Amino acid sequence: MHVTRRTLLTTAAGAAVAVSTSASPAAAEVSGAATLGTLRRAADYAVAKLRAVAPGVTGFPVGTKFEKWTYSQNGDWVGGFWPGQLWLAWLYSGEEQFKTLALASAEKLAPRRTDTGTHDLGFLFYPSWVTAWRLTGDPKWRDGAIQAASSLIKRYNPAGRFIRAWGALDDPKNAGRVIMDTIMNLDLLAFASRETADPRYLDIAVAHAKTAQRNFLRPDGSTPHVFDFDPVTGAPLGPNTVQGYSPASCWSRGQAWGIYGFTTIHRRTGDPEFLATARRLADFALDRLTPDHVPVWDYLAPQAPDDVKDASAGVITACGLLDLAELTHHRRYRDSALRILTAVSRTCLTAKSARAEASVARCTRNRPAEDGVEVSLPYADYYLLEGILRVLDRSKVDQAIDLSSV
Ligand code: GLY
C-alpha cells in the first residue's frame, strides 16, 4: 500500500475509534440512568447559568473573551441563538422570565428581516422568530420570518442553482461563493413555503441543497467548507476554505452543519438522497471521533486529531445524529449522539469557573484567523440545550422548532 500522511491519519483515527467502542467510560454508559443523570445535570447547569447571566446581557452574545460574553448589537450571524436558548430554557423550566427575555431579544432582530446582505437569515430568524410564532401564536413573528425568507431568496443564483453566502448583492466579490453552513438556513425557506403555500421558497432550498450535495461531497463523506462557482455561468470552479485548514480538509463545524442540515431538508421533502447524504457526512465524522468524543476543529488538519477542539461542532453533530437516528432507526447514531453530549457535559462545561458567563467552553470560531480559539460560543450553548432536550423531552424541541416530517 502506498502510505500517505492521509492514510496514516485515517489509520490513527480508526485505532482511536476502536478504543472508544470498547474501553471508553462514555461508551460504557451510553444508555441508562447515568447518562440521563449527566444530561439532566448539564441542562440544569445551563439553565442556572442563563438565570444568573441573562438579565445582565446587553446585546447578542457572539463569543467570550476571558470567559465574559462580547456582544453584537445587530445580531451578526448569531443573533437567533440567544433568544433561541431563552425559549428552550423557558420550555425546560417553565420560568416566565425566560419568555420575557426571549421576546425582548427576538424583537431586537426586527431590522434584520430586510437584510439581503447575508445568507444567515435562517440562523437569525428560525430559533428566534419562527419559535416565537410557534410558542406564542402571535402572527407578527410568523410574518417577520416570512419576510426574512423573502430577503434570503434574493440571494439565489439561478445559473448555478445556489444561494450565495457572503457579500452585498451588488458586490461581485464572493458572488460565486457557496459555503456548507447555508444548508442550515434552508429550513426558514421550508417554513415560508408551508405558511404561504408559495412553493418558490422550498424550490430554492431544494435546488441549493442539490447543488451542495453534488459539489461538496467527497467520496469518503467529508466536505470542504467552501465551494466556488462562476457567478455568471454557474459552472463549478472547485473547493475552498475560510474557516477550515485547507480546501482539501474537513472543518468539523461545517461537517456538523451538513449532518444537521441535510437531515432537516430530508424531513421537509422526504427526498431519500438527502438522508443518504446526511448519513455519509455523519459516518465520516463518527469515524474520526476520538475516545474523548469532542471533535477536533478540522478532521483533516495535519495535526488532527491532536489539535484544538471545537465542542460546538460536537453538540451540533449530536443534534443532527439524534434526528438521523429517528429517521433511519440506526442505533449507532443515537448512541454516538449520547456519547458526544455526555462527553461535552463532563469535560467542556464551565462548571469550575466562577467567572464564566457561558455554559460550554472549548469551542473554536475561526482557527486560521486565530479568532476565538477554545472559547465559548452562543451556538454551542444553544445546541447543547437543544440536544439534551431532544433526549430528555423531544416534544419540547418539537414545540420550539418543529420536528415533523412530510
Ligand atoms: N456559520 C459560521 C460558523 O459556523 O462559524
Side-chain angles (χ1 to χ4, degrees):
M1 182 169 81
H2 173 66
V3 179
T4 61
R5 184 175 69 185
R6 171 78 179 282
T7 322
L8 287 171
L9 282 173
T10 307
T11 309
V17 167
V19 171
S20 80
T21 51
S22 57
S24 143
E29 293 179 13
V30 76
S31 59
T35 297
L36 295 183
T38 300
L39 298 186
R40 189 167 289 286
R41 278 191 297 280
D44 288 345
Y45 176 72
V47 170
K49 182 64 74 182
L50 280 173
R51 196 179 292 123
V53 170
V57 157
T58 58
F60 296 101
V62 294
T64 52
K65 260 200 181 130
F66 302 114
E67 302 184 88
K68 301 292 185 193
W69 286 124
T70 61
Y71 298 110
S72 153
Q73 290 310 320
N74 80 352
D76 197 299
W77 74 272
V78 295
F81 296 118
W82 186 251
Q85 213 188 136
L86 293 164
W87 284 126
L88 295 181
W90 179 57
L91 287 167
Y92 182 68
S93 68
E95 292 169 37
E96 278 308 297
Q97 66 151 335
F98 290 127
K99 180 181 178 186
T100 307
L101 291 166
L103 288 168
S105 176
E107 186 62 51
K108 282 185 71 179
L109 287 173
R112 301 293 300 279
R113 285 170 296 177
T114 51
D115 184 352
T116 58
T118 179
H119 71 122
D120 288 316
L121 291 157
F123 283 123
L124 286 167
F125 283 92
Y126 202 107
S128 53
W129 285 49
V130 172
T131 299
W133 154 242
R134 291 179 60 75
L135 298 182
T136 68
D138 181 342
K140 111 177 183 186
W141 303 112
R142 167 194 175 271
D143 295 348
I146 293 168
Q147 217 182 337
S150 299
S151 303
L152 178 55
I153 58 172
K154 295 206 171 85
R155 300 182 69 75
Y156 182 62
N157 179 323
R161 301 177 68 78
F162 61 77
I163 294 170
R164 71 178 280 187
W166 296 318
L169 290 177
D170 59 0
D171 183 356
K173 196 164 158 254
N174 288 323
R177 186 147 271 205
V178 179
I179 66 174
M180 182 48 92
D181 321 30
T182 305
I183 196 83
M184 293 294 286
N185 291 312
L186 304 183
D187 208 25
L188 182 69
L189 302 182
F191 169 79
S193 271
R194 272 199 314 281
E195 292 294 325
T196 61
D198 178 347
R200 230 167 8 127
Y201 302 96
L202 183 61
D203 287 349
I204 287 177
V206 169
H208 176 95
K210 285 188 185 297
T211 301
Q213 187 178 46
R214 212 169 33 250
N215 292 282
F216 280 72
L217 211 71
R218 303 189 186 110
D220 65 358
S222 67
T223 57
H225 175 210
V226 172
F227 203 96
D228 288 318
F229 294 83
D230 181 318
V232 177
T233 65
L237 299 177
N240 215 322
T241 202
V242 172
Q243 282 163 269
Y245 181 82
S246 78
S249 76
C250 182
W251 176 50
S252 60
R253 194 163 61 252
Q255 190 80 2
W257 294 137
I259 296 164
Y260 192 129
F262 276 110
T263 308
T264 304
I265 192 79
H266 166 77
R267 265 194 188 287
R268 305 308 185 207
T269 60
D271 184 334
E273 294 293 323
F274 290 141
L275 193 63
T277 297
R279 288 195 61 182
R280 287 180 58 199
L281 267 70
D283 291 343
F284 175 86
L286 291 182
D287 285 351
R288 270 146 194 87
L289 273 185
T290 41
D292 61 358
H293 286 90
V294 181
V296 64
W297 74 281
D298 187 315
Y299 293 120
L300 297 176
Q303 290 291 115
D306 303 316
D307 205 336
V308 301
K309 294 290 190 178
D310 182 14
S312 78
V315 290
I316 297 160
T317 298
C319 290
L321 291 174
L322 288 168
D323 212 15
L324 204 48
E326 241 178 57
L327 293 161
T328 62
H329 310 290
H330 277 271
R331 209 190 153 93
R332 154 176 153 90
Y333 296 131
R334 184 175 171 82
D335 287 351
S336 299
L338 291 173
R339 285 191 191 107
I340 294 168
L341 291 173
T342 306
V344 170
S345 299
R346 285 215 179 116
T347 66
C348 301
L349 294 191
T350 55
K352 289 184 187 150
S353 166
R355 281 177 55 87
E357 292 187 336
S359 294
V360 182
R362 307 188 70 200
C363 305
T364 296
R365 181 162 48 209
N366 188 339
R367 175 98 212 265
E370 292 293 330
D371 165 29
V373 175
E374 295 222 12
V375 294
S376 294
L377 296 168
Y379 29 101
D381 282 16
Y382 172 84
Y383 287 104
L384 176 75
L385 209 43
E386 181 187 309
I388 293 177
L389 286 191
R390 279 176 183 266
V391 176
L392 297 182
D393 189 348
R394 178 193 182 277
S395 70
K396 295 216 176 343
V397 180
D398 185 32
Q399 269 176 274
I401 62 170
D402 181 8
L403 295 179
S404 63
S405 301
V406 291

